[in-house]
């Protein structure tokens, strides 16, 4: 029997395609490394660093207690003394301190506390807890000289940072226990009812950030054929839409804030426009690496330094220093100041957002100059190539056909250059899409 010879099938060579895929995998792997370093570096092992707190009182006992707390903290706390409860409340609302311990708060207090946890309790009016027939008050209130012993009180402002309020409460609960009385916790600036942790504004910033830097990839990639001025106009228009969406989320949809929506929208627009303009300008230079670049700026360094999870007083020096001027911190702290703290410190945070917007316009200007220079260089190169081709044709083609040949060569050269440019543009657009 004659054997049937199978046709020789050559296995296709995928090495070039594999190299192409591996090259583009560099971007997500770098994102993974960057996100891990940023988030774990910023949020791992939080501990106080010169956290400002106060002890309310004026006597020697107040000074001794403040010094004792400071010594035990080993530099973690910046303990000061404040003369009165009203002064402590004022400093809390200006975010100059993040907790105030009142040693001898009256049992009736100034209003009911917003909440208490970890064994904390709120004392009510003198004698209100006494039983019928003149029975003794509970053990938490010791009788001294015929009256009710004052209970220690901790003042916090959880709208500034719920995490910070919890940390301060953990610090002063053992101090109150030494006085033999439960700690009464009073929140002088609570967050909105539908945002009990006060972190809704931080996650609002996250949503606005993602809408902004994701739009950069579209404007820079799909819009690369447009002039830079049109791309800048698209960036400004997109930031307006993103800020409106964010304001709707904050107000009518999730009720994160119950007033001041116009101010919140203004800061959202400044914040989004800064990101979009900076990213659009950077795309001229970074191309398919733009996504990684804007993620480093507006996610890795931005979310971690915004103060939404931990304030800078609980972070290491690097992220704490970024909090002073980064745009995410400007938005979060500015919105908190506007909504919860009567505008205290608002001007500085707004100026932070304005400066980032100015940087965005400057970035567009630099990108415009760079693209104009590239266009002039490309035109000069094309003109030189045409001249060289014309000279070569003139030297090799008979005289009577020289003019026709030159024209034909020019046409072919132009067509070839056009095809080459289109192919290059298509490849760049594909790489941009993969990078996104």
């Amino acid at each position: 029997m004659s054997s049937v010879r199978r046709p020789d099938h050559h296995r296709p060579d995928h090495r070039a395609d594999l190299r192409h895929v591996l090259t583009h995998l560099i971007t997500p792997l770098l994102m993974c490394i960057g996100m891990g370093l940023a988030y774990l570096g910023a949020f791992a092992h939080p501990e106080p660093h010169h956290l400002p707190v106060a002890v309310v009182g004026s006597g020697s006992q107040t000074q001794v207690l403040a010094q004792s707390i400071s010594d035990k903290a080993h530099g973690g706390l910046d303990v000061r003394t404040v003369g009165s409860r009203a002064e402590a409340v004022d400093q809390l609302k200006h975010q100059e301190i993040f907790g105030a311990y009142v040693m001898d708060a009256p049992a009736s207090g100034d209003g009911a506390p917003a909440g208490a946890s970890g064994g904390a309790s709120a004392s009510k009016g003198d004698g209100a807890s006494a039983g019928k027939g003149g029975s003794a008050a509970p053990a938490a209130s010791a009788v001294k000289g015929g009256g009710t012993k004052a209970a220690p009180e901790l003042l916090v402002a959880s709208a500034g940072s719920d995490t910070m309020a919890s940390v301060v409460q953990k610090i002063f609960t053992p101090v109150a226990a030494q006085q033999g009385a439960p700690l009464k916790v009073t929140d002088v600036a609570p967050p909105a009812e539908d945002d009990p942790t006060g972190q809704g504004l931080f996650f609002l910033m996250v949503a606005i950030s993602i809408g902004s830097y994701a739009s950069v990839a579209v404007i820079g990639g799909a819009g690369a054929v447009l002039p830079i001025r049109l791309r800048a106009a698209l960036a400004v228009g997109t930031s307006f839409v993103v800020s409106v969406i964010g304001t709707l989320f904050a107000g009518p949809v999730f009720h994160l804030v119950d007033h001041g929506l116009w101010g919140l929208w203004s800061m959202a627009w400044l914040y989004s426009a800064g990101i979009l303009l900076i990213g659009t300008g950077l795309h001229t230079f970074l191309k398919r690496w733009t996504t990684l670049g804007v993620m480093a700026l507006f996610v890795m360094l931005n979310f971690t330094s915004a103060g939404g999870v931990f304030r800078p007083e609980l972070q290491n020096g690097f992220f704490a220093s970024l909090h002073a001027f980064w745009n995410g911190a400007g938005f979060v702290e500015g919105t908190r100041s506007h909504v919860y703290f009567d505008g205290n410190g608002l001007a500085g945070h707004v100026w932070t957002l304005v400066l980032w917007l100015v940087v965005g316009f400057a970035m567009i200007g630099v990108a415009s100059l760079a693209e104009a220079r590239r266009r002039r260089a490309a035109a000069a190169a094309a003109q030189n190539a045409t001249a060289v081709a014309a000279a070569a044709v003139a030297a090799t083609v008979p005289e009577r056909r020289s003019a026709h040949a030159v024209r034909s060569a020019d046409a072919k050269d132009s067509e070839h250059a056009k095809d080459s440019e289109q192919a290059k543009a298509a490849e760049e657009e594909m790489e941009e899409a993969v990078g996104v």
Side-chain angles (χ1 to χ4, degrees):
M1 295 179 64
S2 59
S3 61
V4 179
R5 187 175 181 180
R6 295 182 179 177
D8 227 356
H9 292 291
H10 294 287
R11 194 176 288 179
D13 189 355
H14 293 298
R15 284 178 295 182
D17 296 330
L18 182 60
R19 280 195 301 269
H20 185 73
V21 173
L22 291 176
T23 300
H24 284 85
L25 277 175
I26 294 175
T27 299
L29 292 177
L30 288 176
M31 289 179 182
C32 176
I33 294 171
M35 294 289 279
L37 290 175
Y39 275 76
L40 296 178
F43 299 146
H45 307 297
E47 58 183 3
H49 298 284
H50 302 288
L51 172 63
V53 295
V55 177
V56 180
S58 56
S60 60
Q61 185 181 4
T62 303
Q63 297 288 345
V64 170
L65 178 59
Q67 187 61 49
S68 173
I69 295 172
S70 179
D71 292 341
K72 291 179 180 178
H74 302 292
L77 300 177
D78 179 10
V79 187
R80 64 188 73 175
T81 58
V82 177
S84 67
R85 186 181 187 279
E87 185 180 351
V89 171
D90 183 68
Q91 291 192 18
L92 280 166
K93 291 188 175 181
H94 281 79
Q95 294 188 287
E96 296 174 7
I97 59 176
F98 295 96
Y101 183 74
V102 186
M103 296 177 60
D104 299 314
S108 58
D110 289 341
S117 60
S121 66
S123 301
K124 295 186 178 180
D126 293 345
S129 58
K132 293 182 179 180
S135 61
S141 300
V143 176
K144 182 179 180 181
T148 304
K149 181 180 179 180
E153 179 185 20
L154 177 64
L155 307 177
V156 297
S158 63
S161 173
D162 182 68
T163 306
M164 191 70 81
S166 299
V167 169
V168 171
Q169 187 173 337
K170 288 180 180 179
I171 292 170
F172 284 103
T173 296
V175 177
Q178 293 177 358
Q179 292 186 244
L183 181 64
K184 167 186 168 183
V185 181
T186 302
D187 195 343
V188 301
E193 184 178 350
D194 290 323
D195 183 23
T197 65
Q199 293 186 351
L201 295 177
F202 168 72
F203 290 108
L204 173 65
M205 182 210 70
V206 171
I208 294 173
S209 303
I210 293 175
S212 301
Y213 80 73
S215 298
V216 166
V218 177
I219 295 173
V225 296
L226 298 175
I228 186 69
R229 65 179 183 278
L230 289 182
R231 279 176 275 154
L234 279 174
V236 173
T238 303
S239 67
F240 174 80
V241 176
V242 169
S243 64
V244 169
I245 293 173
T247 305
L248 291 175
F249 282 157
V253 179
F254 293 108
H255 308 288
L256 301 177
V257 300
D258 52 12
H259 66 280
L261 282 178
W262 281 109
L264 185 146
W265 168 78
S266 300
M267 285 183 278
W269 179 80
L270 286 173
Y271 175 71
S272 178
I275 293 176
L276 273 152
L277 288 172
I278 291 173
T280 300
L282 283 176
H283 186 273
T284 298
F285 306 98
L286 299 182
K287 299 299 182 184
R288 68 184 181 89
W289 299 103
T290 303
T291 300
L292 180 61
V294 295
M295 281 196 69
L297 288 174
F298 304 120
V299 176
M300 299 173 192
L301 300 179
N302 191 26
F303 294 177
T304 51
S305 63
V309 179
F310 296 126
R311 285 192 58 85
E313 292 82 4
L314 297 178
Q315 294 183 297
N316 60 49
F318 175 72
F319 291 98
S321 62
L322 290 182
H323 183 85
F325 62 92
W326 218 255
N327 60 341
F331 176 77
V332 171
E333 298 295 355
T335 306
R336 284 173 174 168
S337 174
H338 172 62
V339 176
Y340 297 122
F341 295 99
D342 301 323
N344 294 316
L346 176 61
H349 302 309
V350 171
W351 273 113
T352 297
L353 297 175
V354 170
L355 288 175
W356 278 83
L357 181 64
V358 170
V359 171
F361 280 114
M363 195 73 239
I364 291 294
V366 173
S368 178
L369 293 175
E371 290 184 8
R373 189 181 303 113
R374 290 176 187 174
R375 286 194 300 269
R376 289 194 297 269
Q383 187 175 4
N384 291 337
T386 300
V388 170
V393 170
T396 56
V397 177
E399 186 68 22
R400 60 188 178 82
R401 298 185 56 199
S402 60
H404 176 72
V406 167
R407 287 194 297 270
S408 300
D410 286 349
K412 289 180 180 179
D413 244 0
S414 176
E415 186 178 352
H416 178 71
K418 185 177 180 181
D419 291 343
S420 178
E421 288 178 3
Q422 289 177 347
K424 185 177 180 182
E427 182 179 356
E428 288 183 354
E429 186 174 349
M430 181 186 68
E431 290 178 346
E432 179 67 32
V434 175
V436 173

